[in-house]
PDB file of all heavy atoms in Angstrom:
ATOM      1  N   ALA A 203     -41.456 -29.347  53.532  1.00 96.00           N
ATOM      2  CA  ALA A 203     -42.335 -28.298  54.046  1.00 96.00           C
ATOM      3  C   ALA A 203     -42.785 -28.650  55.452  1.00 96.00           C
ATOM      4  O   ALA A 203     -43.014 -29.828  55.769  1.00 96.00           O
ATOM      5  CB  ALA A 203     -43.536 -28.124  53.125  1.00 96.00           C
ATOM      6  N   ARG A 204     -42.943 -27.636  56.280  1.00 93.00           N
ATOM      7  CA  ARG A 204     -43.377 -27.834  57.662  1.00 93.00           C
ATOM      8  C   ARG A 204     -44.826 -27.399  57.861  1.00 93.00           C
ATOM      9  O   ARG A 204     -45.282 -27.250  58.994  1.00 93.00           O
ATOM     10  CB  ARG A 204     -42.466 -27.047  58.602  1.00 93.00           C
ATOM     11  CG  ARG A 204     -41.020 -27.538  58.581  1.00 93.00           C
ATOM     12  CD  ARG A 204     -40.106 -26.583  59.347  1.00 93.00           C
ATOM     13  NE  ARG A 204     -38.737 -27.088  59.413  1.00 93.00           N
ATOM     14  CZ  ARG A 204     -37.707 -26.383  59.859  1.00 93.00           C
ATOM     15  NH1 ARG A 204     -37.889 -25.128  60.267  1.00 93.00           N
ATOM     16  NH2 ARG A 204     -36.494 -26.912  59.897  1.00 93.00           N
ATOM     17  N   VAL A 205     -45.526 -27.175  56.770  1.00 93.00           N
ATOM     18  CA  VAL A 205     -46.948 -26.819  56.808  1.00 93.00           C
ATOM     19  C   VAL A 205     -47.671 -27.685  55.784  1.00 93.00           C
ATOM     20  O   VAL A 205     -47.048 -28.228  54.864  1.00 93.00           O
ATOM     21  CB  VAL A 205     -47.157 -25.324  56.490  1.00 93.00           C
ATOM     22  CG1 VAL A 205     -46.528 -24.444  57.561  1.00 93.00           C
ATOM     23  CG2 VAL A 205     -46.595 -24.977  55.118  1.00 93.00           C
ATOM     24  N   PRO A 206     -48.987 -27.834  55.918  1.00 94.00           N
ATOM     25  CA  PRO A 206     -49.732 -28.668  54.962  1.00 94.00           C
ATOM     26  C   PRO A 206     -49.623 -28.129  53.542  1.00 94.00           C
ATOM     27  O   PRO A 206     -49.570 -26.919  53.316  1.00 94.00           O
ATOM     28  CB  PRO A 206     -51.171 -28.596  55.485  1.00 94.00           C
ATOM     29  CG  PRO A 206     -51.039 -28.255  56.923  1.00 94.00           C
ATOM     30  CD  PRO A 206     -49.844 -27.359  57.021  1.00 94.00           C
ATOM     31  N   GLY A 207     -49.593 -29.036  52.600  1.00 94.00           N
ATOM     32  CA  GLY A 207     -49.514 -28.675  51.191  1.00 94.00           C
ATOM     33  C   GLY A 207     -48.756 -29.743  50.429  1.00 94.00           C
ATOM     34  O   GLY A 207     -48.338 -30.763  50.998  1.00 94.00           O
ATOM     35  N   ARG A 208     -48.570 -29.514  49.135  1.00 95.00           N
ATOM     36  CA  ARG A 208     -47.885 -30.495  48.289  1.00 95.00           C
ATOM     37  C   ARG A 208     -46.627 -29.872  47.697  1.00 95.00           C
ATOM     38  O   ARG A 208     -46.671 -28.812  47.071  1.00 95.00           O
ATOM     39  CB  ARG A 208     -48.803 -30.967  47.169  1.00 95.00           C
ATOM     40  CG  ARG A 208     -48.189 -32.118  46.335  1.00 95.00           C
ATOM     41  CD  ARG A 208     -49.156 -32.675  45.317  1.00 95.00           C
ATOM     42  NE  ARG A 208     -49.376 -31.784  44.197  1.00 95.00           N
ATOM     43  CZ  ARG A 208     -50.470 -31.061  44.002  1.00 95.00           C
ATOM     44  NH1 ARG A 208     -51.474 -31.128  44.882  1.00 95.00           N
ATOM     45  NH2 ARG A 208     -50.598 -30.261  42.957  1.00 95.00           N
ATOM     46  N   VAL A 209     -45.514 -30.542  47.912  1.00 96.00           N
ATOM     47  CA  VAL A 209     -44.235 -30.127  47.340  1.00 96.00           C
ATOM     48  C   VAL A 209     -43.922 -31.041  46.167  1.00 96.00           C
ATOM     49  O   VAL A 209     -43.979 -32.268  46.299  1.00 96.00           O
ATOM     50  CB  VAL A 209     -43.102 -30.222  48.381  1.00 96.00           C
ATOM     51  CG1 VAL A 209     -41.783 -29.770  47.761  1.00 96.00           C
ATOM     52  CG2 VAL A 209     -43.422 -29.385  49.604  1.00 96.00           C
ATOM     53  N   GLU A 210     -43.607 -30.463  45.022  1.00 95.00           N
ATOM     54  CA  GLU A 210     -43.269 -31.301  43.870  1.00 95.00           C
ATOM     55  C   GLU A 210     -42.175 -30.640  43.043  1.00 95.00           C
ATOM     56  O   GLU A 210     -41.983 -29.426  43.078  1.00 95.00           O
ATOM     57  CB  GLU A 210     -44.499 -31.564  43.006  1.00 95.00           C
ATOM     58  CG  GLU A 210     -45.190 -30.334  42.488  1.00 95.00           C
ATOM     59  CD  GLU A 210     -46.469 -30.679  41.745  1.00 95.00           C
ATOM     60  OE1 GLU A 210     -46.502 -31.732  41.074  1.00 95.00           O
ATOM     61  OE2 GLU A 210     -47.424 -29.910  41.839  1.00 95.00           O
ATOM     62  N   LEU A 211     -41.463 -31.475  42.319  1.00 96.00           N
ATOM     63  CA  LEU A 211     -40.423 -31.011  41.410  1.00 96.00           C
ATOM     64  C   LEU A 211     -40.934 -31.070  39.984  1.00 96.00           C
ATOM     65  O   LEU A 211     -41.544 -32.068  39.575  1.00 96.00           O
ATOM     66  CB  LEU A 211     -39.165 -31.860  41.559  1.00 96.00           C
ATOM     67  CG  LEU A 211     -38.369 -31.608  42.839  1.00 96.00           C
ATOM     68  CD1 LEU A 211     -37.416 -32.760  43.115  1.00 96.00           C
ATOM     69  CD2 LEU A 211     -37.606 -30.290  42.735  1.00 96.00           C
ATOM     70  N   VAL A 212     -40.681 -29.998  39.245  1.00 95.00           N
ATOM     71  CA  VAL A 212     -41.152 -29.882  37.872  1.00 95.00           C
ATOM     72  C   VAL A 212     -39.939 -29.748  36.959  1.00 95.00           C
ATOM     73  O   VAL A 212     -39.020 -28.960  37.231  1.00 95.00           O
ATOM     74  CB  VAL A 212     -42.068 -28.649  37.713  1.00 95.00           C
ATOM     75  CG1 VAL A 212     -42.458 -28.449  36.260  1.00 95.00           C
ATOM     76  CG2 VAL A 212     -43.298 -28.782  38.587  1.00 95.00           C
ATOM     77  N   GLY A 213     -39.908 -30.509  35.898  1.00 95.00           N
ATOM     78  CA  GLY A 213     -38.838 -30.384  34.919  1.00 95.00           C
ATOM     79  C   GLY A 213     -39.172 -29.313  33.902  1.00 95.00           C
ATOM     80  O   GLY A 213     -40.331 -29.139  33.529  1.00 95.00           O
ATOM     81  N   ASP A 214     -38.159 -28.553  33.460  1.00 94.00           N
ATOM     82  CA  ASP A 214     -38.433 -27.507  32.477  1.00 94.00           C
ATOM     83  C   ASP A 214     -37.188 -27.195  31.655  1.00 94.00           C
ATOM     84  O   ASP A 214     -36.152 -27.860  31.786  1.00 94.00           O
ATOM     85  CB  ASP A 214     -38.984 -26.247  33.152  1.00 94.00           C
ATOM     86  CG  ASP A 214     -37.952 -25.553  34.043  1.00 94.00           C
ATOM     87  OD1 ASP A 214     -36.843 -26.096  34.199  1.00 94.00           O
ATOM     88  OD2 ASP A 214     -38.255 -24.475  34.569  1.00 94.00           O
ATOM     89  N   ASP A 215     -37.308 -26.182  30.799  1.00 94.00           N
ATOM     90  CA  ASP A 215     -36.253 -25.803  29.859  1.00 94.00           C
ATOM     91  C   ASP A 215     -35.886 -24.334  30.074  1.00 94.00           C
ATOM     92  O   ASP A 215     -36.438 -23.454  29.420  1.00 94.00           O
ATOM     93  CB  ASP A 215     -36.704 -26.033  28.418  1.00 94.00           C
ATOM     94  CG  ASP A 215     -38.034 -25.349  28.125  1.00 94.00           C
ATOM     95  OD1 ASP A 215     -38.841 -25.175  29.057  1.00 94.00           O
ATOM     96  OD2 ASP A 215     -38.267 -24.962  26.961  1.00 94.00           O
ATOM     97  N   PRO A 216     -34.990 -24.037  31.010  1.00 96.00           N
ATOM     98  CA  PRO A 216     -34.614 -22.638  31.247  1.00 96.00           C
ATOM     99  C   PRO A 216     -34.116 -21.963  29.979  1.00 96.00           C
ATOM    100  O   PRO A 216     -33.458 -22.590  29.148  1.00 96.00           O
ATOM    101  CB  PRO A 216     -33.506 -22.744  32.295  1.00 96.00           C
ATOM    102  CG  PRO A 216     -33.014 -24.151  32.229  1.00 96.00           C
ATOM    103  CD  PRO A 216     -34.188 -24.978  31.810  1.00 96.00           C
ATOM    104  N   TRP A 217     -34.472 -20.660  29.835  1.00 96.00           N
ATOM    105  CA  TRP A 217     -34.103 -19.849  28.669  1.00 96.00           C
ATOM    106  C   TRP A 217     -34.580 -20.454  27.344  1.00 96.00           C
ATOM    107  O   TRP A 217     -34.042 -20.140  26.274  1.00 96.00           O
ATOM    108  CB  TRP A 217     -32.585 -19.642  28.602  1.00 96.00           C
ATOM    109  CG  TRP A 217     -32.014 -18.970  29.807  1.00 96.00           C
ATOM    110  CD1 TRP A 217     -32.213 -17.682  30.191  1.00 96.00           C
ATOM    111  CD2 TRP A 217     -31.155 -19.560  30.789  1.00 96.00           C
ATOM    112  NE1 TRP A 217     -31.520 -17.426  31.353  1.00 96.00           N
ATOM    113  CE2 TRP A 217     -30.861 -18.564  31.745  1.00 96.00           C
ATOM    114  CE3 TRP A 217     -30.586 -20.817  30.955  1.00 96.00           C
ATOM    115  CZ2 TRP A 217     -30.038 -18.793  32.846  1.00 96.00           C
ATOM    116  CZ3 TRP A 217     -29.785 -21.048  32.052  1.00 96.00           C
ATOM    117  CH2 TRP A 217     -29.507 -20.046  32.978  1.00 96.00           C
ATOM    118  N   GLY A 218     -35.574 -21.355  27.403  1.00 95.00           N
ATOM    119  CA  GLY A 218     -36.086 -21.950  26.178  1.00 95.00           C
ATOM    120  C   GLY A 218     -35.152 -22.941  25.523  1.00 95.00           C
ATOM    121  O   GLY A 218     -35.231 -23.206  24.312  1.00 95.00           O
ATOM    122  N   TRP A 219     -34.231 -23.520  26.313  1.00 96.00           N
ATOM    123  CA  TRP A 219     -33.341 -24.536  25.749  1.00 96.00           C
ATOM    124  C   TRP A 219     -34.145 -25.688  25.162  1.00 96.00           C
ATOM    125  O   TRP A 219     -35.257 -26.003  25.614  1.00 96.00           O
ATOM    126  CB  TRP A 219     -32.393 -25.052  26.830  1.00 96.00           C
ATOM    127  CG  TRP A 219     -31.244 -24.127  27.111  1.00 96.00           C
ATOM    128  CD1 TRP A 219     -30.822 -23.084  26.329  1.00 96.00           C
ATOM    129  CD2 TRP A 219     -30.373 -24.158  28.242  1.00 96.00           C
ATOM    130  NE1 TRP A 219     -29.728 -22.478  26.910  1.00 96.00           N
ATOM    131  CE2 TRP A 219     -29.437 -23.116  28.077  1.00 96.00           C
ATOM    132  CE3 TRP A 219     -30.289 -24.972  29.362  1.00 96.00           C
ATOM    133  CZ2 TRP A 219     -28.425 -22.859  29.000  1.00 96.00           C
ATOM    134  CZ3 TRP A 219     -29.276 -24.724  30.288  1.00 96.00           C
ATOM    135  CH2 TRP A 219     -28.353 -23.677  30.106  1.00 96.00           C
ATOM    136  N   LYS A 220     -33.547 -26.362  24.185  1.00 95.00           N
ATOM    137  CA  LYS A 220     -34.299 -27.349  23.413  1.00 95.00           C
ATOM    138  C   LYS A 220     -34.458 -28.700  24.105  1.00 95.00           C
ATOM    139  O   LYS A 220     -35.365 -29.475  23.766  1.00 95.00           O
ATOM    140  CB  LYS A 220     -33.645 -27.565  22.045  1.00 95.00           C
ATOM    141  CG  LYS A 220     -32.232 -28.148  22.125  1.00 95.00           C
ATOM    142  CD  LYS A 220     -31.614 -28.286  20.736  1.00 95.00           C
ATOM    143  CE  LYS A 220     -30.216 -28.885  20.801  1.00 95.00           C
ATOM    144  NZ  LYS A 220     -29.612 -29.026  19.456  1.00 95.00           N
ATOM    145  N   ALA A 221     -33.588 -29.024  25.049  1.00 95.00           N
ATOM    146  CA  ALA A 221     -33.669 -30.334  25.706  1.00 95.00           C
ATOM    147  C   ALA A 221     -34.962 -30.454  26.523  1.00 95.00           C
ATOM    148  O   ALA A 221     -35.446 -29.479  27.096  1.00 95.00           O
ATOM    149  CB  ALA A 221     -32.460 -30.559  26.599  1.00 95.00           C
ATOM    150  N   ARG A 222     -35.527 -31.642  26.570  1.00 96.00           N
ATOM    151  CA  ARG A 222     -36.739 -31.910  27.333  1.00 96.00           C
ATOM    152  C   ARG A 222     -36.561 -33.201  28.132  1.00 96.00           C
ATOM    153  O   ARG A 222     -35.873 -34.133  27.697  1.00 96.00           O
ATOM    154  CB  ARG A 222     -37.951 -32.073  26.411  1.00 96.00           C
ATOM    155  CG  ARG A 222     -38.297 -30.861  25.571  1.00 96.00           C
ATOM    156  CD  ARG A 222     -38.828 -29.709  26.413  1.00 96.00           C
ATOM    157  NE  ARG A 222     -39.261 -28.597  25.586  1.00 96.00           N
ATOM    158  CZ  ARG A 222     -38.461 -27.636  25.131  1.00 96.00           C
ATOM    159  NH1 ARG A 222     -37.174 -27.662  25.437  1.00 96.00           N
ATOM    160  NH2 ARG A 222     -38.932 -26.656  24.386  1.00 96.00           N
ATOM    161  N   TRP A 223     -37.172 -33.235  29.313  1.00 97.00           N
ATOM    162  CA  TRP A 223     -37.170 -34.464  30.101  1.00 97.00           C
ATOM    163  C   TRP A 223     -38.135 -35.478  29.487  1.00 97.00           C
ATOM    164  O   TRP A 223     -39.270 -35.138  29.153  1.00 97.00           O
ATOM    165  CB  TRP A 223     -37.621 -34.189  31.532  1.00 97.00           C
ATOM    166  CG  TRP A 223     -36.652 -33.421  32.381  1.00 97.00           C
ATOM    167  CD1 TRP A 223     -36.753 -32.121  32.763  1.00 97.00           C
ATOM    168  CD2 TRP A 223     -35.453 -33.932  32.984  1.00 97.00           C
ATOM    169  NE1 TRP A 223     -35.692 -31.763  33.560  1.00 97.00           N
ATOM    170  CE2 TRP A 223     -34.877 -32.861  33.714  1.00 97.00           C
ATOM    171  CE3 TRP A 223     -34.811 -35.168  32.981  1.00 97.00           C
ATOM    172  CZ2 TRP A 223     -33.696 -32.998  34.433  1.00 97.00           C
ATOM    173  CZ3 TRP A 223     -33.625 -35.293  33.694  1.00 97.00           C
ATOM    174  CH2 TRP A 223     -33.080 -34.235  34.410  1.00 97.00           C
ATOM    175  N   ASP A 224     -37.684 -36.700  29.363  1.00 95.00           N
ATOM    176  CA  ASP A 224     -38.552 -37.824  29.019  1.00 95.00           C
ATOM    177  C   ASP A 224     -38.995 -38.442  30.346  1.00 95.00           C
ATOM    178  O   ASP A 224     -38.222 -39.138  31.007  1.00 95.00           O
ATOM    179  CB  ASP A 224     -37.785 -38.836  28.173  1.00 95.00           C
ATOM    180  CG  ASP A 224     -38.620 -40.077  27.840  1.00 95.00           C
ATOM    181  OD1 ASP A 224     -39.852 -40.023  28.035  1.00 95.00           O
ATOM    182  OD2 ASP A 224     -38.032 -41.081  27.413  1.00 95.00           O
ATOM    183  N   GLN A 225     -40.221 -38.148  30.751  1.00 90.00           N
ATOM    184  CA  GLN A 225     -40.684 -38.504  32.085  1.00 90.00           C
ATOM    185  C   GLN A 225     -41.423 -39.843  32.046  1.00 90.00           C
ATOM    186  O   GLN A 225     -42.442 -39.985  31.375  1.00 90.00           O
ATOM    187  CB  GLN A 225     -41.598 -37.416  32.646  1.00 90.00           C
ATOM    188  CG  GLN A 225     -40.901 -36.059  32.728  1.00 90.00           C
ATOM    189  CD  GLN A 225     -41.775 -34.983  33.349  1.00 90.00           C
ATOM    190  OE1 GLN A 225     -42.775 -35.283  33.996  1.00 90.00           O
ATOM    191  NE2 GLN A 225     -41.408 -33.723  33.158  1.00 90.00           N
ATOM    192  N   ALA A 226     -40.867 -40.810  32.744  1.00 84.00           N
ATOM    193  CA  ALA A 226     -41.465 -42.145  32.833  1.00 84.00           C
ATOM    194  C   ALA A 226     -41.616 -42.514  34.301  1.00 84.00           C
ATOM    195  O   ALA A 226     -41.074 -41.863  35.193  1.00 84.00           O
ATOM    196  CB  ALA A 226     -40.586 -43.164  32.109  1.00 84.00           C
ATOM    197  N   SER A 227     -42.331 -43.594  34.562  1.00 82.00           N
ATOM    198  CA  SER A 227     -42.593 -43.984  35.950  1.00 82.00           C
ATOM    199  C   SER A 227     -41.321 -44.397  36.684  1.00 82.00           C
ATOM    200  O   SER A 227     -41.236 -44.277  37.910  1.00 82.00           O
ATOM    201  CB  SER A 227     -43.601 -45.140  35.985  1.00 82.00           C
ATOM    202  OG  SER A 227     -43.096 -46.249  35.235  1.00 82.00           O
ATOM    203  N   ASP A 228     -40.323 -44.858  35.950  1.00 85.00           N
ATOM    204  CA  ASP A 228     -39.098 -45.309  36.614  1.00 85.00           C
ATOM    205  C   ASP A 228     -38.049 -44.209  36.725  1.00 85.00           C
ATOM    206  O   ASP A 228     -36.947 -44.447  37.219  1.00 85.00           O
ATOM    207  CB  ASP A 228     -38.510 -46.511  35.862  1.00 85.00           C
ATOM    208  CG  ASP A 228     -38.155 -46.171  34.421  1.00 85.00           C
ATOM    209  OD1 ASP A 228     -38.622 -45.136  33.917  1.00 85.00           O
ATOM    210  OD2 ASP A 228     -37.415 -46.957  33.806  1.00 85.00           O
ATOM    211  N   GLY A 229     -38.362 -42.983  36.243  1.00 93.00           N
ATOM    212  CA  GLY A 229     -37.419 -41.876  36.341  1.00 93.00           C
ATOM    213  C   GLY A 229     -37.465 -40.998  35.105  1.00 93.00           C
ATOM    214  O   GLY A 229     -38.174 -41.292  34.135  1.00 93.00           O
ATOM    215  N   TRP A 230     -36.718 -39.931  35.160  1.00 96.00           N
ATOM    216  CA  TRP A 230     -36.662 -38.993  34.032  1.00 96.00           C
ATOM    217  C   TRP A 230     -35.304 -39.099  33.351  1.00 96.00           C
ATOM    218  O   TRP A 230     -34.278 -39.307  33.987  1.00 96.00           O
ATOM    219  CB  TRP A 230     -36.822 -37.559  34.521  1.00 96.00           C
ATOM    220  CG  TRP A 230     -38.149 -37.242  35.146  1.00 96.00           C
ATOM    221  CD1 TRP A 230     -39.210 -38.087  35.334  1.00 96.00           C
ATOM    222  CD2 TRP A 230     -38.534 -35.977  35.684  1.00 96.00           C
ATOM    223  NE1 TRP A 230     -40.228 -37.429  35.946  1.00 96.00           N
ATOM    224  CE2 TRP A 230     -39.853 -36.123  36.178  1.00 96.00           C
ATOM    225  CE3 TRP A 230     -37.919 -34.743  35.811  1.00 96.00           C
ATOM    226  CZ2 TRP A 230     -40.544 -35.078  36.774  1.00 96.00           C
ATOM    227  CZ3 TRP A 230     -38.591 -33.698  36.390  1.00 96.00           C
ATOM    228  CH2 TRP A 230     -39.889 -33.858  36.869  1.00 96.00           C
ATOM    229  N   ARG A 231     -35.323 -38.908  32.033  1.00 96.00           N
ATOM    230  CA  ARG A 231     -34.083 -38.917  31.262  1.00 96.00           C
ATOM    231  C   ARG A 231     -34.114 -37.770  30.263  1.00 96.00           C
ATOM    232  O   ARG A 231     -35.179 -37.361  29.793  1.00 96.00           O
ATOM    233  CB  ARG A 231     -33.900 -40.240  30.512  1.00 96.00           C
ATOM    234  CG  ARG A 231     -33.662 -41.429  31.409  1.00 96.00           C
ATOM    235  CD  ARG A 231     -33.346 -42.686  30.600  1.00 96.00           C
ATOM    236  NE  ARG A 231     -34.470 -43.105  29.774  1.00 96.00           N
ATOM    237  CZ  ARG A 231     -35.462 -43.890  30.184  1.00 96.00           C
ATOM    238  NH1 ARG A 231     -35.457 -44.343  31.436  1.00 96.00           N
ATOM    239  NH2 ARG A 231     -36.435 -44.241  29.381  1.00 96.00           N
ATOM    240  N   ALA A 232     -32.922 -37.276  29.918  1.00 96.00           N
ATOM    241  CA  ALA A 232     -32.810 -36.243  28.888  1.00 96.00           C
ATOM    242  C   ALA A 232     -31.462 -36.391  28.205  1.00 96.00           C
ATOM    243  O   ALA A 232     -30.480 -36.859  28.803  1.00 96.00           O
ATOM    244  CB  ALA A 232     -32.953 -34.854  29.488  1.00 96.00           C
ATOM    245  N   ALA A 233     -31.425 -36.009  26.943  1.00 94.00           N
ATOM    246  CA  ALA A 233     -30.193 -36.080  26.163  1.00 94.00           C
ATOM    247  C   ALA A 233     -29.668 -34.671  25.920  1.00 94.00           C
ATOM    248  O   ALA A 233     -30.339 -33.853  25.286  1.00 94.00           O
ATOM    249  CB  ALA A 233     -30.449 -36.790  24.837  1.00 94.00           C
ATOM    250  N   LEU A 234     -28.471 -34.390  26.460  1.00 96.00           N
ATOM    251  CA  LEU A 234     -27.784 -33.142  26.183  1.00 96.00           C
ATOM    252  C   LEU A 234     -26.650 -33.422  25.210  1.00 96.00           C
ATOM    253  O   LEU A 234     -26.423 -34.567  24.824  1.00 96.00           O
ATOM    254  CB  LEU A 234     -27.255 -32.535  27.493  1.00 96.00           C
ATOM    255  CG  LEU A 234     -28.278 -32.366  28.621  1.00 96.00           C
ATOM    256  CD1 LEU A 234     -27.616 -31.755  29.847  1.00 96.00           C
ATOM    257  CD2 LEU A 234     -29.458 -31.522  28.166  1.00 96.00           C
ATOM    258  N   GLU A 235     -25.932 -32.378  24.807  1.00 93.00           N
ATOM    259  CA  GLU A 235     -24.846 -32.566  23.850  1.00 93.00           C
ATOM    260  C   GLU A 235     -23.730 -33.376  24.489  1.00 93.00           C
ATOM    261  O   GLU A 235     -22.996 -32.888  25.345  1.00 93.00           O
ATOM    262  CB  GLU A 235     -24.313 -31.199  23.403  1.00 93.00           C
ATOM    263  CG  GLU A 235     -23.335 -31.262  22.247  1.00 93.00           C
ATOM    264  CD  GLU A 235     -23.995 -31.691  20.948  1.00 93.00           C
ATOM    265  OE1 GLU A 235     -25.176 -31.355  20.741  1.00 93.00           O
ATOM    266  OE2 GLU A 235     -23.310 -32.369  20.156  1.00 93.00           O
ATOM    267  N   GLY A 236     -23.623 -34.645  24.104  1.00 91.00           N
ATOM    268  CA  GLY A 236     -22.568 -35.501  24.608  1.00 91.00           C
ATOM    269  C   GLY A 236     -22.788 -36.028  26.011  1.00 91.00           C
ATOM    270  O   GLY A 236     -21.900 -36.665  26.579  1.00 91.00           O
ATOM    271  N   VAL A 237     -23.956 -35.764  26.592  1.00 95.00           N
ATOM    272  CA  VAL A 237     -24.213 -36.149  27.978  1.00 95.00           C
ATOM    273  C   VAL A 237     -25.610 -36.728  28.107  1.00 95.00           C
ATOM    274  O   VAL A 237     -26.568 -36.195  27.547  1.00 95.00           O
ATOM    275  CB  VAL A 237     -24.074 -34.942  28.934  1.00 95.00           C
ATOM    276  CG1 VAL A 237     -24.384 -35.333  30.370  1.00 95.00           C
ATOM    277  CG2 VAL A 237     -22.678 -34.347  28.847  1.00 95.00           C
TER     278      VAL A 237
END
């Protein structure tokens, strides 16, 4: 951003998919089918 404010990334579940981010201080992880 080129103006004052806070930019952040938010993890979510588009279309209500069941996978969720496991958010920890060292990074985020999630388990998908086979991935």
Side-chain angles (χ1 to χ4, degrees):
R204 296 170 176 171
V205 295
R208 186 174 73 254
V209 181
E210 57 185 325
L211 287 162
V212 175
D214 67 356
D215 53 332
W217 301 292
W219 281 345
K220 63 182 181 180
R222 299 291 185 275
W223 289 106
D224 177 14
Q225 301 183 17
S227 58
D228 60 344
W230 296 1
R231 292 186 295 274
L234 307 180
E235 189 68 33
V237 178

